[in-house]
Amino acid sequence: MYEVVSAGRGLEVRADAVLVSRWEEIAPHLPGVPRDGLRPGLDMSTDAVRLPQGARVGDVRRLLNAHLHLLHLAHGTLCLHAVALRHPAGGRVVVLLGGHGAGKTLVALALFLRGWRVMAGDVTLVDCSAQGLSPRVVGGTAAFLARPGPTRRWFPDLVPSVAGEDRVDLSRVPGLWESPLTAPGTVAAAVLVDVDGDPAAGEGAVGVLDGHTAANVWWRASGHLLERLLDDAPVVLRFLEDGEAAVRRLSLVRALARTIPLHAAWGAPELIADRIERLAHAAMPVPVTEVSS
């Protein structure tokens, strides 16, 4: 028996030795879980998550993440497919959303070069439980994976030349991370990014998504950890979230869409970073045009 600790919450797990022997490889991909976040658990626990004997590392990670999704959801916290960054001056936090390949990492790197620090590399824990208060980032995944080709195109000095790798982990780039997480950060801005593939991209565009579209974006991002396929077991992770949990998530998603305007930005990473800085630093939101998709 083990306990996986994520953002101060414990998940009881029954697992074989692979969880311990490969923990250093697994932990960076679990949101809010530090490297020392695996502890001895209680043998008497009847609610423990049972990991299949002999499961491969990828399946162990996916199963744990699906159950962490449920654990945090029960406490009013969403596991969002998003990158979160904080500016050291004033503590402003921005959340970057977008599908795989949309350019979240590229925009995050552009913000990093302006002094921002990464709080979550791929999955961000956003606490929406406090009534009357803005949502807060309380943790996220420590891995910060980038596709070498596009990253070298925009930031050639940050990515080493590694033959044969489709993704590289930039989490060890000096100064990239706010580690350990100093304190939860109130979300100042949320941006759905779409990086143009041409380094000579023009002015790009920015707008605010209408409420319905924004809620759909938050909904997809908040179900990310359930939309995974296991390598070996015929388990549909989506079915782990029952109707009551799904309704709770929907309520949190709608609250997010009402509370935080979701901006959409297209263009080069530096251009989007410039727009984000203006959004996060302005006392009043910059003038934008509402758009829908």
Side-chain angles (χ1 to χ4, degrees):
M1 283 291 298
Y2 303 96
E3 182 184 37
V4 175
V5 180
S6 171
R9 297 167 185 151
L11 178 70
E12 295 290 328
V13 178
R14 290 186 182 272
D16 58 21
V18 69
L19 185 61
V20 175
S21 63
R22 307 291 292 276
W23 179 250
E24 289 293 317
E25 182 180 347
I26 294 169
H29 301 277
L30 306 178
V33 177
R35 292 190 181 276
D36 62 352
L38 183 64
R39 303 171 184 174
L42 300 175
D43 289 335
M44 64 186 69
S45 176
T46 58
D47 296 327
V49 175
R50 294 179 179 269
L51 299 181
Q53 293 289 316
R56 287 192 269 181
V57 170
D59 279 358
V60 170
R61 184 181 73 241
R62 295 176 192 113
L63 285 163
L64 287 175
N65 270 330
H67 286 281
L68 287 173
H69 164 94
L70 298 175
L71 172 70
H72 288 300
L73 181 60
H75 291 83
T77 299
L78 295 173
C79 298
L80 295 170
H81 184 204
V83 177
L85 301 99
R86 172 158 38 198
H87 198 284
R92 300 174 184 88
V93 174
V94 63
V95 174
L96 308 179
L97 297 99
H100 290 292
K104 298 186 297 296
T105 299
L106 296 174
V107 175
L109 289 174
L111 288 168
F112 157 63
L113 294 175
R114 294 164 176 248
W116 295 68
R117 295 295 178 263
V118 175
M119 300 173 70
D122 183 63
V123 177
T124 299
L125 296 174
V126 175
D127 183 2
C128 309
S129 62
Q131 294 292 328
L133 298 178
S134 297
R136 302 177 306 152
V137 171
V138 295
T141 48
F144 192 71
L145 302 179
R147 290 175 173 81
T151 308
R152 287 195 200 100
R153 186 180 309 138
W154 296 100
F155 307 102
D157 296 332
L158 288 179
V159 182
S161 179
V162 182
E165 290 195 14
D166 62 345
R167 292 195 295 178
V168 295
D169 189 353
L170 301 181
S171 60
R172 297 188 183 276
V173 171
L176 180 77
W177 275 95
E178 179 188 306
S179 181
L181 189 66
T182 57
T186 300
V187 179
V191 182
L192 178 66
V193 304
D194 182 9
V195 170
D196 188 283
D198 182 2
E203 289 300 313
V206 65
V208 175
L209 295 176
D210 64 87
H212 179 77
T213 303
N216 274 278
V217 173
W218 289 115
W219 175 257
R220 288 193 297 271
S222 66
H224 173 68
L225 295 181
L226 301 179
E227 301 296 346
R228 324 306 296 161
L229 293 179
L230 300 184
D231 290 326
D232 298 321
V235 176
V236 180
L237 299 179
R238 163 60 57 197
F239 293 161
L240 295 177
E241 183 184 71
D242 62 18
E244 182 178 349
V247 169
R248 180 172 180 78
R249 180 159 65 94
L250 178 61
S251 176
L252 295 175
V253 161
R254 285 177 169 163
L256 268 180
R258 290 193 301 268
T259 305
I260 305 174
L262 181 56
H263 295 78
W266 167 86
E270 284 289 346
L271 177 72
I272 296 176
D274 181 64
R275 301 292 187 112
I276 288 172
E277 286 213 307
R278 284 191 281 160
L279 285 172
H281 285 74
M284 297 292 290
V286 297
V288 293
T289 302
E290 185 172 284
V291 297
S292 60
S293 62

